[in-house]
Amino acid sequence: MKPSCRSKVYVPDKTSIVSTSDVDGVNALFGYYSPFSYPMRRRLNMVVEAMEKKTGYQAILDAGFGCGILLTDLYRKLAPGSGQLYGIDVHGQHEAVKASLVAREGLEAGRIHLSNHSLFDLPFEDDTFDLIVSVSVLEHIQPNLLPACLREIRRVAKSNAEIILGFPTDSIFIRLLALLHKQDIRKNHPSTHHDIFGAIAQAGFQIIEKSSFPRFAGPLTMHYNVRIRNALR
């Protein structure tokens, strides 16, 4: 299953991004530094390509916004004047991330709501969001906890919501990147793409679109992006 159309993500200038991790896009060799930035930008582009509506969303959730690299692009996809952007993460630097983006990217502070929460207990009412994205988050969660986190996403999503997930694979390239960044891959990525695909089904979702990077790599694929929906819908 391939995306129906291609779009290019808006990536803010590096000065607009607040570092929240030693391996986020600000610090990593494969982040902002061209030509090594292509893998990072490609996986963000995959999120935009998977969006059906592209713009005019009333409520968007970035579940695990990290350093905020995707927030400005998501903000631009809100319904003019009324749409609201929400983000959750456990790093606790939400105020710094928001302040930097508002000041440097010209966003309206009153339409951005970032908080220190996790996927285990989302602080939102049922049926709140018409777009939910979560990129490079699920691999950091223990496999036995994944279904519960995905059920939380299902709970806060509207019945017709677009839900887009991006996550790395357990491949030789990802292991090599982990070595370059001196990471313990099993500690930082306790869940593999196999675990995540299994949890998506367990949580009651159906995959309706799937893409990968590189497209032709097969067992050497580095990253998956999926658009899912409630299987009971």
Side-chain angles (χ1 to χ4, degrees):
M1 294 176 282
K2 296 182 178 180
S4 57
C5 67
R6 293 173 62 86
S7 300
K8 194 168 185 178
V9 70
Y10 170 78
V11 178
D13 186 83
K14 186 179 177 180
T15 58
S16 299
I17 300 299
V18 172
S19 176
T20 59
S21 164
D22 59 359
V23 294
D24 63 24
V26 181
N27 300 307
L29 173 64
F30 291 86
Y32 273 78
Y33 297 103
S34 181
F36 301 111
S37 65
Y38 178 75
M40 178 198 75
R41 293 171 188 259
R42 179 71 198 111
R43 62 191 175 95
L44 296 178
N45 283 338
M46 290 165 71
V47 174
V48 177
E49 291 166 11
M51 296 179 188
E52 287 186 298
K53 196 163 64 171
K54 306 301 179 188
T55 60
Y57 297 96
Q58 289 294 333
I60 299 177
L61 172 64
D62 188 345
F65 62 83
C67 62
I69 196 169
L70 193 56
L71 289 173
T72 303
D73 188 86
L74 294 176
Y75 178 92
R76 292 180 170 198
K77 300 183 185 308
L78 293 171
S82 60
Q84 303 291 312
L85 174 61
Y86 296 80
I88 60 100
D89 211 306
V90 296
H91 54 57
Q93 298 188 53
H94 51 285
E95 292 294 346
V97 170
K98 177 177 177 178
S100 182
L101 291 176
V102 167
R104 296 181 180 274
E105 294 295 318
L107 311 185
E108 296 178 58
R111 299 175 65 196
I112 304 173
H113 316 276
L114 307 182
S115 60
N116 182 15
H117 289 91
S118 77
L119 277 174
F120 297 101
D121 186 23
L122 295 175
F124 309 110
E125 296 182 357
D126 297 0
D127 307 313
T128 296
F129 298 100
D130 49 350
L131 173 64
I132 299 175
V133 301
S134 186
V135 182
S136 295
V137 175
L138 296 177
E139 68 271 18
H140 298 290
I141 299 171
Q142 293 293 334
N144 63 310
L145 301 176
L146 284 172
C149 291
L150 287 164
R151 282 192 287 269
E152 268 292 271
I153 288 178
R154 190 180 68 180
R155 178 184 66 79
V156 301
K158 294 180 180 178
S159 61
N160 61 344
E162 297 175 41
I163 304 171
I164 301 170
L165 310 175
F167 44 90
T169 66
D170 182 23
S171 70
I172 187 171
F173 290 127
I174 295 300
R175 294 174 191 173
L176 178 60
L177 287 176
L179 287 174
L180 289 173
H181 291 301
K182 299 180 180 180
Q183 293 184 41
D184 182 341
I185 190 66
R186 292 306 176 198
K187 179 180 179 181
N188 291 337
H189 292 184
S191 287
T192 68
H193 60 288
H194 301 294
D195 298 319
I196 295 170
F197 281 127
I200 287 171
Q202 289 181 47
F205 284 114
Q206 175 187 8
I207 295 175
I208 56 176
E209 185 177 276
K210 176 181 173 183
S211 57
S212 63
F213 169 76
R215 294 187 177 187
F216 56 83
L220 299 181
T221 295
M222 298 173 62
H223 186 85
Y224 281 114
N225 198 81
V226 297
R227 180 157 53 88
I228 62 177
R229 68 182 177 191
N230 190 337
L232 302 179
R233 193 178 72 178

